[in-house]
Amino acid sequence: MKLVSNLPGNLRSLFGFLRALAVLSAVFWFLMLTFNAWIQKRFVDDPKLIVSIGTLAVNPPSGATVLSSDSARPGSLVMTGAARRGLQVDLLSNNAVLVSAVRWTMLPSMAASLAFAWLLFGSLRAVCGNIERGEVFSQNNLRLMRGIGWTLVGFSLAAVGLDLWASRVMDSYLNQHVTVAGLMASGQTGSMHFSPTDGFPIVSGLIAGCLVLMVSEAFRQGLALKQENELTV
């Protein structure tokens, strides 16, 4: 019962913890991507750090893959469309070209995600702190709620551009340096398309941002009524 009665204070602590965790996570991945060569030199047992970074769609050279069967004539079975599978990379790889592609794919998204988490959790923590002190309908909370709404909307839109950038970088690397045995034979043409792992649901983030902006408008009207009542008294 005591925990429930102090819900704003508990949430304020939680958002503070999540804010710090976001910073620590960003620092860890930045070090892994930036100092991978240093780590390779310090460890002699070939260290690896395999992570999933997205999905890979492989388009066969002819747009369709013929399947062989021992009971049907050739061409009777055809697999159409792209084969899509998860893509994993070794962040501690000593391949300079691959490491460069992975860095340019992940670092912009990491920087944007850190800025988003810092602003979002900081604003939520401040709102909970104000409510804990009994300050609900105030100009400060109104400003914070609007900031949360625009942060969600802004990052949702930025995530679209970041996904396009990541796809462009990895598509360039994959189609220049990678082949898929059995689907893209030497001398044939085909294509591969990379889609980054969607850590932030863009559509739902945009909807959530709009909802928070609507709530902030309710805050504005509540604050106006509060000020009007104070003047009347």
Side-chain angles (χ1 to χ4, degrees):
M1 187 69 179
K2 188 176 181 179
L3 290 175
V4 175
S5 63
N6 193 29
L7 182 60
N10 295 327
L11 289 176
R12 180 175 59 83
S13 299
L14 174 62
F15 291 134
F17 170 76
L18 292 175
R19 197 184 197 194
L21 185 63
V23 174
L24 292 176
S25 177
V27 170
F28 171 79
W29 290 113
F30 176 79
L31 293 176
M32 290 296 102
L33 290 171
T34 305
F35 298 101
N36 62 320
W38 181 87
I39 295 174
Q40 286 282 352
K41 293 178 180 179
R42 295 302 184 276
F43 293 90
V44 295
D45 55 347
D46 190 23
K48 294 182 181 296
L49 181 59
I50 307 297
V51 297
S52 298
I53 64 171
T55 58
L56 179 64
V58 180
N59 296 291
S62 62
T65 301
V66 177
L67 304 177
S68 61
S69 171
D70 59 0
S71 62
R73 60 186 179 84
S76 298
L77 301 175
V78 177
M79 183 177 67
T80 61
R84 183 177 295 274
R85 300 295 296 272
L87 179 64
Q88 295 182 327
V89 298
D90 180 10
L91 295 187
L92 299 183
S93 172
N94 56 8
N95 185 313
V97 180
L98 173 60
V99 170
S100 177
V102 173
R103 284 176 180 170
W104 283 106
T105 298
M106 296 183 64
L107 286 177
S109 296
M110 287 170 50
S113 297
L114 175 59
F116 167 72
W118 182 265
L119 292 173
L120 179 65
F121 293 137
S123 297
L124 289 171
R125 183 172 181 268
V127 170
C128 290
N130 291 337
I131 296 175
E132 187 179 16
R133 292 189 296 270
E135 178 187 342
V136 180
F137 294 106
S138 65
Q139 288 291 346
N140 190 24
N141 274 352
L142 176 60
R143 177 182 58 82
L144 289 170
M145 292 297 294
R146 284 176 175 170
I148 292 171
W150 286 118
T151 297
L152 288 166
V153 171
F155 186 76
S156 298
L157 297 177
V160 177
L162 291 170
D163 285 356
L164 291 175
W165 167 259
S167 297
R168 179 180 179 183
V169 172
M170 284 304 295
D171 283 354
S172 177
Y173 169 79
L174 291 169
N175 287 295
Q176 290 181 29
H177 302 282
V178 177
T179 58
V180 181
L183 287 181
M184 299 169 64
S186 176
Q188 294 179 310
T189 60
S191 64
M192 287 177 279
H193 178 68
F194 170 78
S195 299
T197 300
D198 193 4
F200 183 83
I202 296 173
V203 175
S204 59
L206 186 63
I207 294 174
C210 293
L211 290 175
V212 173
L213 289 174
M214 292 174 59
V215 172
S216 68
E217 176 61 19
F219 262 71
R220 186 192 66 79
Q221 295 184 16
L223 178 60
L225 290 174
K226 177 185 174 183
Q227 293 174 342
E228 182 178 346
N229 289 335
E230 289 175 350
L231 291 175
T232 302
V233 175

